[in-house]
Structures are given as structure tokens and as C-alpha cells.
Amino acid sequence: MTIPISTYNDFQGLSQLKSAASAGSPEATREAARQFEALFVQMMLKSMRDANAVLGEQHDTTYQEMFDKQIAMEMTQGKGLGLGDLMVRQLAGGAGGTPQVSGSFAMPARPPASVNLTMNRDDFRPESREAFIQEIWPLAVQAGEKLGVNPRAIVAQAALETGWGQRQIRDDAGVSGNNLFGIKADKSWSGQRVTVSTLEFEDGLPKPQRAQFRAYPNLQAGFEDYVRFLQTNPRYSDALQSGGNAQVYAERLQSAGYATDPRYAEKISDIIASPILGNGDTPLKTDGEVPNYL
């Protein structure tokens, strides 16, 4: 039995799907589970759109809703997101059981962790060094004003930590953690985490390690946490008293133990001095040479 795909585009089709699953046909059960999964994805996308709309302009969402429905259909084809298998077991009452369909279908308590984290984060993918600077410059200016730090030093540090956005901290699905400053997730961190391989210097020598890093829904949240991280850690107080001197800021960050790389401050200073960051308030004046370790 094949249920028309349009049935999961609204809640009125739920009763039809439950009735089909109750018939006991494995094909019908699988199709019902797939369409419930698609409905779940569509609901999740709509919730994200609604949340963003609070901060954005109101506009006609007709075409956006059509696009979300198409995305939901595409994402749940084949093996889907893994929710379908859970639903099949519930609809079929477990292995060899009879269908269990109540008046209101019980969705799994939460989607797989990798799906949940990925669907709630922006994926920052700058195409060039110029695009990287243009995207984060306003955020660096805001952070610099709060910290009393030259924004060019903040951009340079982010460039060093991420290779101008090309070597970001990403999860297993390849989605950016929006953590441009390599802030690790310790026991006090209650937000999202991404575990990646990294190099830490011990006795001046780089050693590969696996570490957990903080992950943020977007770049704005990442910069805001960077500000909090520095302001709430007393060991960085000297760095925040650098008087806007970018080189001094970098040196004091290293002295405070921000990174284990013995050349951390030197590398940041080299990027600050590179032509691509320009001078004054306009960071992007010319595409010049940058240090080759990036």
C-alpha cells in the first residue's frame, strides 16, 4: 500500500497514516514511519524559521514553507535520519508484535544527537580570506569594544585558530561549531560540544590529542562567549589591559596560557602586520601576502 506523499504535509493526514499502520502490512508501516519522520523534520524546520523570524523582518513565507516541505521529503528518502526505524518498532509493537497506535502518536523523546546538533547550528563556510574578514569584522568590532581590544587582533586570532575559516572545528557531519577561538568545553560548559583531533604542544613538541570544544548556534554566540570567557577568567586581566595594542594583547594572551603553541603570539602578530588586514578601521584594503603556516 502506498500513501500519497502529500498526507504528511499537514496534521489532517496523521489519522490516515495511523490507520494504514494499524493494518499490519510491513510496507504500510514503513511508509507511515517515513512520512511521520518527514513531518517531524518539517516541524523542526518551521520551529527554526519561527525563532529566526522574531529577530528578522516579517515577510511572505509561502515559498519558504514549500521549500521546507521539499527539504523534509528529500531528507527522509532512503534510510532517512534514523527516526523511521524507531517509529517502525513502535508502530509494529516491537519484534513480531502487533501494531501499537494510540490516539496521539508518540514521537521519540529526541532525535539522534548528531541530527539535533547539526540542525540547530549555522554552517560558516567562507570562500576566501576576504570573505572570512568581511563576515566576522563587525563581530570583532563589537567584541573589541567590550574588551577594550583592537578588533584587528581578534580577527588575527580567529584567522590563526581556523586557518581563515578553512580548518574550523566541525562535527562528524561537517557542520561548523562556530567556535573561531578554540575554546574547549570543560565541566562548567553546559552547551553543545564537538570532539575533534587537535595538536597540543608539550615541551615544545606538537602531540595529537582528542579534545572537546564548545559549539555555538552561530558566530554571534561564539563571539559573545569569547568575550565572557576572557572577562571571567582573571588570568587574562593583563591581556585586557593592553590599551588597544594588538601585539601586546597577543603576547599577554600567550603569557596567560591561552594556547600551548610557543609561537602563538608571534603568529598572531604576523597576521596583524600582513597587508590583508589593512590599517585603521577598515580591515580589508588589499589582498597581500599572509604567513604560509595558514
Side-chain angles (χ1 to χ4, degrees):
M1 175 182 178
T2 300
I3 304 171
I5 259 187
S6 60
T7 58
Y8 68 74
N9 286 339
D10 55 62
F11 288 99
Q12 294 177 354
L14 287 175
S15 60
Q16 182 181 357
L17 292 176
K18 289 186 290 185
S19 297
S22 298
S25 167
E27 293 78 9
T29 300
R30 168 59 62 181
E31 180 65 14
R34 185 183 67 80
Q35 295 196 27
F36 271 120
E37 182 182 41
L39 175 61
F40 178 81
V41 172
Q42 186 180 330
M43 291 168 59
M44 185 164 54
L45 290 172
K46 185 178 185 303
S47 296
M48 294 168 60
R49 304 283 184 199
D50 291 344
N52 289 335
V54 173
L55 302 177
E57 297 181 357
Q58 298 296 322
H59 56 277
D60 186 359
T61 61
T62 301
Y63 292 104
Q64 187 63 68
E65 291 173 357
M66 293 173 61
F67 177 74
D68 286 350
K69 291 177 181 179
Q70 183 63 34
I71 288 295
M73 292 166 57
E74 294 293 334
M75 290 180 66
T76 54
Q77 295 295 321
K79 293 184 178 180
L81 302 177
L83 301 180
D85 291 336
L86 297 176
M87 295 177 190
V88 166
R89 288 195 291 271
Q90 181 170 348
L91 288 171
T98 57
Q100 296 178 348
V101 183
S102 59
S104 59
F105 181 77
M107 288 285 189
R110 66 181 65 180
S114 60
V115 174
N116 186 47
L117 298 182
T118 297
M119 292 299 294
N120 287 282
R121 287 206 310 272
D122 291 346
D123 191 12
F124 180 45
R125 292 181 179 273
E127 296 181 353
S128 63
R129 296 192 297 268
E130 292 83 359
F132 178 83
I133 297 174
Q134 290 170 350
E135 182 74 21
I136 74 169
W137 178 251
L139 299 174
V141 170
Q142 293 175 10
E145 291 174 349
K146 295 176 182 178
L147 295 172
V149 172
N150 188 325
R152 295 173 71 239
I154 297 175
V155 172
Q157 185 182 10
L160 175 61
E161 289 281 355
T162 67
W164 298 98
Q166 303 307 305
R167 297 196 301 271
Q168 294 182 62
I169 296 168
R170 296 185 178 276
D171 61 21
D172 291 340
V175 177
S176 171
N178 297 307
N179 182 346
L180 305 188
F181 301 97
I183 302 178
K184 291 183 177 178
D186 57 17
K187 294 181 180 179
S188 66
W189 178 248
S190 60
Q192 297 180 11
R193 298 165 179 253
V194 173
T195 302
V196 298
S197 298
T198 182
L199 285 178
E200 298 292 345
F201 285 80
E202 296 182 7
D203 298 324
L205 298 175
K207 295 185 178 181
Q209 295 182 9
R210 293 284 290 176
Q212 289 190 332
F213 292 85
R214 301 182 184 187
Y216 311 100
N218 49 50
L219 293 179
Q220 177 76 47
F223 272 81
E224 290 173 354
D225 189 57
Y226 172 73
V227 171
R228 285 192 298 269
F229 179 76
L230 293 176
Q231 289 181 334
T232 57
N233 280 274
R235 64 177 178 172
Y236 298 119
S237 58
D238 284 346
L240 300 183
Q241 300 299 319
S242 57
N245 187 310
Q247 278 78 13
V248 171
Y249 176 68
E251 291 168 0
R252 292 181 178 178
L253 277 184
Q254 179 175 326
S255 297
Y258 190 98
T260 58
D261 183 351
R263 295 185 57 217
Y264 193 72
E266 177 187 344
K267 292 176 180 179
I268 292 177
S269 296
D270 287 346
I271 299 170
I272 293 171
S274 64
I276 193 171
L277 285 186
N279 299 291
D281 295 330
T282 303
L284 190 62
K285 288 194 173 185
T286 180
D287 185 7
E289 291 296 323
V290 294
N292 57 19
Y293 47 74
L294 292 176

